[in-house]
């Protein structure tokens, strides 16, 4: 039997991998994938807690998280495509279109 | 013995492939590493007796979301982006701050004690079937959040449609 804290530690490390990716990458798509990694790490801890506490609510919240992530990916990717049409780059530091010069 | 071995394997592959995924220069390579991570997360869910969630993970994440990412990467012409540096200028400071936070979060994860125990034991779930149990709880106790979820999934549908139509008219006019 694997202890619960191992799952929580794995989820924490995975969350911070996504966090570091979100903070340090230049690319918009990579930042978006980092958000997906963070959501997945939260799902790991929810499912592990739901298994060890013998309750099923964690898995239902994980289902909701997966569904909302799907919707967010659709919206975010169309925004990325529109931004790319406007200015052909994906580097975040190049996007200053809304700033007043 | 076997659950520990499986957990070690899944955890090692998940951590390695996620770190490899966020450090590759080529977007397609990093997306394929992330795909490996999603599949092994599904294996971890199987280890936790969550078969339905493992299936949903494979279908939704590995099947739908990652394919959307791959379509977008193939749609955009990113040849010159792969030759440039991938990290921001001051990424070391952010990495150190994140590692400090990580230390405290892992300390919190190892000192966690559970106090609450629900009444969905493994025997009950095995007798009833995992998908059936999940469905009963979802459609009885969580019906209103489920309907809200349907509405939230309708909003991106309309939004993406509007964005695509507006792009077409901007191109002609």
């Amino acid at each position: 039997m694997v202890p619960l804290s191992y799952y929580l530690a794995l989820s924490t490390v995975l969350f911070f991998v996504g966090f570091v990716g979100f903070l340090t990458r230049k690319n918009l798509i990579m930042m978006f994938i980092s958000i997906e990694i963070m959501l997945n790490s939260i799902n790991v801890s929810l499912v592990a807690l739901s298994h060890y506490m013998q309750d099923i609510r964690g898995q239902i919240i994980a289902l909701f998280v997966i569904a909302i992530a799907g919707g967010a990916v659709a919206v975010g990717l169309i925004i990325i495509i529109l931004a790319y049409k406007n200015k052909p780059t994906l580097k975040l530091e190049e996007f200053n279109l809304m700033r007043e010069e | 013995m076997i659950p520990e071995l499986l957990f070690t394997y899944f955890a090692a592959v998940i951590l390695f492939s996620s770190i490899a995924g966020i450090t590759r220069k080529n977007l397609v390579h990093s997306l394929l590493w992330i795909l490996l991570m999603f599949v092994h997360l599904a294996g971890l869910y199987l280890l936790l007796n969550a078969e339905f969630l493992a299936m949903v993970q494979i279908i939704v994440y590995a099947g739908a979301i990652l394919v959307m990412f791959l379509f977008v990467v193939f749609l955009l012409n990113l040849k010159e982006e792969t030759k440039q540096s991938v990290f921001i200028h001051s990424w070391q400071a952010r990495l150190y701050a994140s590692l400090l936070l990580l230390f405290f979060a892992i300390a919190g994860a190892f000192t966690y004690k559970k106090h609450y125990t629900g009444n969905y034991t493994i025997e009950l779930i095995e007798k009833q079937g995992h998908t059936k149990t999940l469905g009963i709880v979802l459609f009885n106790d969580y019906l209103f959040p489920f309907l809200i979820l349907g509405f939230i999934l309708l909003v991106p549908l309309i939004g993406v449609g509007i964005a695509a139509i507006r792009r077409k008219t901007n191109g002609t006019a």
Side-chain angles (χ1 to χ4, degrees):
Chain A
M1 201 69 181
V2 187
L4 173 61
S5 39
Y6 284 19
Y7 284 102
L8 293 182
L10 171 69
S11 153
T12 313
V13 175
L14 198 60
F15 186 88
F16 277 90
V17 168
F19 193 59
V20 170
F22 184 79
L23 284 183
T24 60
R25 287 299 294 251
K26 274 180 185 171
N27 199 313
L28 268 178
I29 291 183
M30 281 315 295
M31 293 172 72
F32 212 41
I33 292 172
S34 306
I35 295 178
E36 295 300 316
I37 295 176
M38 287 194 266
L39 289 171
N40 268 295
S41 75
I42 293 304
N43 275 349
V44 170
S45 71
L46 278 173
V47 175
L49 282 169
S50 136
H51 175 66
Y52 281 89
M53 287 183 171
Q54 298 182 351
D55 204 336
I56 206 143
R57 278 181 282 181
Q59 298 183 14
I60 286 177
I61 298 171
L63 265 182
F64 285 159
V65 169
I66 289 175
I68 297 296
V73 164
V75 174
L77 286 179
I78 194 82
I79 287 174
I80 286 175
I81 289 179
L82 291 181
Y84 190 82
K85 295 281 180 211
N86 216 339
K87 188 171 182 134
T89 180
L90 280 182
K91 282 200 285 187
L92 191 66
E93 49 202 27
E94 304 276 330
F95 283 107
N96 48 13
L97 301 171
M98 294 177 84
R99 195 175 68 191
E100 241 180 320
E101 293 293 341
Chain B
M1 192 60 202
I2 289 180
E4 282 87 351
L5 276 177
L6 281 174
F7 175 79
T8 314
Y9 166 70
F10 284 132
V13 176
I14 284 167
L15 289 181
F16 178 76
S17 58
S18 62
I19 290 171
I22 66 162
T23 51
R24 292 305 96 191
K25 263 190 180 181
N26 196 333
L27 271 177
V28 180
H29 292 175
S30 80
L31 278 175
L32 291 179
W33 280 114
I34 298 295
L35 172 65
L36 190 69
M37 190 199 82
F38 285 156
V39 172
H40 280 80
L41 276 175
L44 206 65
Y45 293 161
L46 278 183
L47 206 58
L48 285 168
N49 283 325
E51 304 101 28
F52 184 71
L53 264 180
M55 202 172 69
V56 166
Q57 172 88 9
I58 296 265
I59 291 173
V60 173
Y61 265 112
I65 290 182
L66 212 82
V67 169
M68 266 201 276
F69 273 109
L70 275 176
F71 268 136
V72 170
V73 171
F74 288 145
L75 213 60
L76 308 177
N77 189 16
L78 298 172
K79 280 244 169 59
E80 71 277 1
E81 303 251 341
T82 57
K83 296 188 184 75
Q84 298 161 349
S85 70
V86 291
F87 292 116
I88 55 168
H89 293 304
S90 67
W91 63 278
Q92 288 94 346
R94 297 178 188 218
L95 182 63
Y96 293 147
S98 307
L99 285 179
L100 193 68
L101 270 172
L102 171 68
F103 169 72
F104 287 110
I106 284 191
F110 274 108
T111 50
Y112 175 78
K113 296 259 189 308
K114 72 184 176 86
H115 298 292
Y116 167 79
T117 307
N119 41 18
Y120 284 92
T121 60
I122 298 172
E123 290 77 29
L124 176 79
I125 291 175
E126 270 183 357
K127 199 181 71 187
Q128 216 173 10
H130 181 254
T131 309
K132 191 178 176 186
T133 315
L134 208 62
I136 286 171
V137 178
L138 184 63
F139 294 127
N140 284 312
D141 302 345
Y142 290 85
L143 185 62
F144 187 61
F146 189 73
L147 295 178
I148 296 282
L149 181 71
F151 184 71
I152 288 176
L153 286 181
L154 183 68
V155 171
L157 189 72
I158 298 171
V160 169
I162 285 174
I165 289 169
R166 195 166 281 169
R167 197 182 75 200
K168 201 171 281 178
T169 54
N170 271 355
T172 54

